Amino acid sequence: MRSALALLKTLRPHQWVKNTFVAAALVFSRHLTELEYVSRTALAVLAFCLLSGAVYTFNDVRDVEADRAHPTKKNRPIASGALTERAALISAAVLALIALGIAFWLSPKTALYLGIYGVQNVAYSIRLKHIAFVDVGIIATGFLLRVLAGAAAIDVPASNWLLLCTALLAIFLGLGKRAHELAWAERSGTTVETRAALAGYSIPVVRLTMFILAAATVGAYIAYTVSTHTVTFFGTQNLPYSSPFVALGIFRFMQLALWYPKDDPPTEAMLRDPWFLLNGAGAIAAILYIIYG
């Protein structure tokens, strides 16, 4: 039982919220009320959860020594010894195979996107996470692959607007994580670098880039909501009313990343932040009501 709980913790289920991007095509293709589309999307989300968990497990095995020297990561199951490296690698391989099997059953294209996601994340764990800006690019590509896989699973095209907004938001989130790591090190007075790539970043450059990306993301979403195609497809001009929620969510994330850095990265802190969660619930409710209400 203890080993099972240790493995579950290693899979980082709290991070699986990122895999909800797989469902973006379902929501914005207006198929959310159709059971077949929902079930296929749910399976695609499950496949990404299993594979991303396998990637986290592989990464923790790779970083076990560095994690043991980190103030909080030393408590991770593999670093603390609660889960053996051998058991972790076997579990990761089994989960990856199950994920690929599910994806291939949905469609070969879904399996292709999932496979690319897995390969690039293994490369990320081994080498690419140590290269400044390339590491953030890999994170952003992962979000795009989620959207593309979700669209392939239900056989609908992923709109260019959806891909653009996803790419901008993903790069913004990735830089936010790096900004948090730099700001946390600065405030805590520590000189310990947990990522080699951090040497290639500076707080002023990252902050400026995040401000630009924040504006670009909000602008792209607003442009999408008022475009002729969007108004015609959804049969409403009300989608721009969801824009304030998007802007507030982005602003709150910047606060967590830049001005209130704590031990936890902002992508985890936001999942426990009541203001972010309240705004997120409002955004989901507004979008669903406008599109389907």
Side-chain angles (χ1 to χ4, degrees):
M1 175 61 86
R2 291 182 61 185
S3 296
L5 291 175
L7 175 60
L8 180 61
K9 185 177 180 180
T10 303
L11 297 179
R12 313 248 224 294
H14 60 281
Q15 292 282 5
W16 292 352
V17 67
K18 298 173 185 177
N19 296 320
T20 57
F21 275 77
V22 175
L26 172 70
V27 173
F28 289 98
S29 64
R30 301 189 70 184
H31 288 303
L32 187 58
T33 58
E34 299 175 51
L35 182 59
E36 180 182 356
Y37 287 88
V38 173
S39 60
R40 293 181 67 85
T41 297
L43 286 173
V45 171
L46 175 61
F48 267 88
C49 288
L50 294 177
L51 186 59
S52 61
V55 169
Y56 283 128
T57 303
F58 174 78
N59 183 68
D60 282 2
V61 172
R62 288 274 309 175
D63 291 348
V64 63
E65 295 302 326
D67 286 351
R68 286 170 179 160
H70 191 275
T72 57
K73 293 180 180 180
K74 65 181 180 181
N75 297 317
R76 288 177 173 175
I78 298 175
S80 66
L83 181 67
T84 67
E85 294 178 36
R86 181 174 181 274
L89 289 175
I90 292 174
S91 300
V94 171
L95 290 173
L97 289 173
I98 294 173
L100 286 170
I102 293 172
F104 191 81
W105 182 83
L106 290 170
S107 76
K109 187 177 289 188
T110 304
L112 174 63
Y113 290 133
L114 186 76
I116 294 173
Y117 173 85
V119 169
Q120 77 163 21
N121 275 279
V122 169
Y124 174 88
S125 295
I126 294 173
R127 173 59 182 164
L128 298 181
K129 68 180 180 180
H130 301 304
I131 306 175
F133 295 100
V134 171
D135 58 336
V136 173
I138 292 295
I139 293 173
T141 304
F143 280 92
L144 287 173
L145 288 169
R146 288 177 174 96
V147 173
L148 289 169
I154 59 175
D155 196 25
V156 299
S159 75
N160 292 331
W161 280 114
L162 179 59
L163 294 175
L164 175 62
C165 290
T166 298
L168 291 171
L169 180 61
I171 297 172
F172 172 78
L173 294 175
L175 283 176
K177 190 173 182 180
R178 298 298 174 265
H180 161 268
E181 291 168 343
L182 290 167
W184 181 86
E186 183 181 76
R187 289 197 176 195
S188 63
T190 181
T191 58
V192 177
E193 290 189 356
T194 57
R195 287 184 188 273
L198 286 182
Y201 292 100
S202 68
I203 291 181
V205 171
V206 172
R207 282 178 176 167
L208 176 61
T209 306
M210 284 187 69
F211 276 108
I212 294 172
L213 284 169
T217 303
V218 175
Y221 182 76
I222 293 174
Y224 162 68
T225 64
V226 300
S227 69
T228 302
H229 175 269
T230 300
V231 173
T232 302
F233 182 74
F234 293 119
T236 178
Q237 295 181 329
N238 293 330
L239 201 55
Y241 292 119
S242 64
S243 300
F245 292 103
V246 175
L248 286 172
I250 287 176
F251 176 74
R252 183 57 180 168
F253 179 84
M254 290 185 70
Q255 285 186 309
L256 294 172
L258 299 176
W259 297 298
Y260 305 109
K262 298 181 181 180
D263 289 348
D264 293 331
T267 49
E268 295 183 18
M270 69 184 187
L271 299 178
R272 292 190 292 271
D273 180 68
W275 294 110
F276 187 91
L277 294 175
L278 181 63
N279 180 74
I284 293 172
I287 291 173
L288 293 181
Y289 178 75
I290 293 169
I291 294 177
Y292 295 93

